[in-house]
């Protein structure tokens, strides 16, 4: 590992590390602007499939949101069921979460942390340390104890910029194939 990088436990760099409600409300049938999502809604680096969510009243949402209070820039990480998918929350929705989603904010560059989560190293770690019988989970304590390689902030930003450049090129190649 480069000289100025360091390994540290993820929990040491988190300002926020929580999961969603373990006993979520049933929700209501009427569509509202207040939604509760699960791990199935975190995919392709975004919150999606918004037809498969629980709709909440404002009162239900306010109560549920006390636990997670997702804010722009938080990392959403699927921790039960489909493990290890992540995205950075853009703040556009009134959103709260079921237990299957962990919400993080760190003292380092969150885009770097998100790309670290996407790495084979971390994905393998999650798969090896998940527990459960009916449904596998990578729970908060295990996540807090996991290690992350932290470069200086300028290197974090350089890495993120380079990854985004590569994804941009790949997206252009893919769109030209269609």
């Amino acid at each position: 590992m480069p000289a100025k990088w360091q390994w540290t436990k993820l929990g040491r760099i988190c300002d926020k590390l929580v999961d969603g409600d373990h006993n979520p409300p049933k929700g209501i049938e009427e569509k509202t602007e207040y939604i509760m999502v699960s791990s199935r809604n975190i995919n392709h680096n975004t919150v999606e499939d918004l037809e498969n969510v629980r709709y909440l009243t404002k009162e239900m949402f306010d109560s549920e949101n006390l636990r997670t209070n997702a804010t722009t820039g938080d990392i959403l990480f699927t921790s039960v069921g489909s493990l290890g998918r992540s995205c950075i929350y853009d703040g556009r929705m009134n959103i709260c979460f079921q237990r299957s989603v962990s919400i993080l904010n760190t003292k380092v560059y969150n885009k770097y942390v998100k790309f670290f989560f996407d790495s084979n190293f971390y994905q393998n770690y999650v798969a090896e340390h998940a527990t459960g019988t009916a449904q596998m989970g990578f729970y908060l304590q295990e996540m807090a104890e996991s290690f992350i390689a932290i470069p200086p902030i300028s290197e974090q930003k350089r890495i993120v910029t380079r990854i985004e450049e590569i994804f941009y090129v790949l997206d252009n190649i893919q769109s030209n194939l269609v």
Side-chain angles (χ1 to χ4, degrees):
M1 189 161 70
K4 293 187 179 181
W5 290 47
Q6 64 181 8
W7 285 103
T8 191
K9 290 184 179 183
L10 184 64
R12 290 185 186 148
I13 63 164
C14 287
D15 293 323
K16 177 194 300 184
L17 177 56
V18 297
D19 58 3
D21 193 338
H22 293 220
N23 296 301
K26 250 182 120 171
I28 60 174
E29 290 196 28
E30 175 189 339
K31 289 185 178 183
T32 69
E33 64 183 277
Y34 305 100
I35 60 174
M36 175 175 272
V37 301
S38 68
S39 62
R40 75 174 162 204
N41 303 109
I42 311 298
N43 209 354
H44 303 105
N45 298 315
T46 192
V47 178
E48 65 175 19
D49 192 18
L50 297 178
E51 294 302 313
N52 285 311
V53 297
R54 290 183 191 193
Y55 292 98
L56 306 175
T57 65
K58 180 171 180 4
E59 294 75 26
M60 294 164 80
F61 174 80
D62 288 344
S63 175
E64 292 298 318
N65 195 41
L66 291 174
R67 180 179 178 92
T68 56
N69 190 29
T71 57
T72 302
D74 284 353
I75 302 168
L76 310 179
F77 184 89
T78 60
S79 51
V80 176
S82 299
L83 299 174
R85 295 190 311 243
S86 64
C87 70
I88 296 181
Y89 177 55
D90 62 14
R92 291 182 300 140
M93 297 174 268
N94 295 313
I95 189 171
C96 58
F97 306 90
Q98 294 182 36
R99 179 184 188 187
S100 60
V101 179
S102 297
I103 301 89
L104 303 89
N105 203 307
T106 71
K107 297 175 176 91
V108 299
Y109 190 37
N110 275 352
K111 280 188 173 184
Y112 170 79
V113 175
K114 189 263 186 277
F115 284 132
F116 186 83
F117 286 165
D118 293 346
S119 71
N120 284 338
F121 171 84
Y122 201 76
Q123 291 293 309
N124 289 335
Y125 183 89
V126 169
E128 290 169 9
H129 291 84
T131 58
T133 50
Q135 197 171 37
M136 298 301 282
F138 185 68
Y139 301 106
L140 293 179
Q141 186 60 40
E142 189 63 48
M143 188 171 223
E145 294 294 315
S146 66
F147 281 88
I148 180 169
I150 305 291
I153 187 67
S154 60
E155 184 69 2
Q156 293 172 41
K157 290 182 177 183
R158 189 194 68 74
I159 290 168
V160 166
T161 298
R162 187 68 182 125
I163 290 170
E164 288 174 338
E165 288 170 352
I166 291 168
F167 283 163
Y168 178 78
V169 168
L170 293 173
D171 287 345
N172 282 336
I173 290 170
Q174 184 178 13
S175 67
N176 287 327
L177 293 175
V178 175

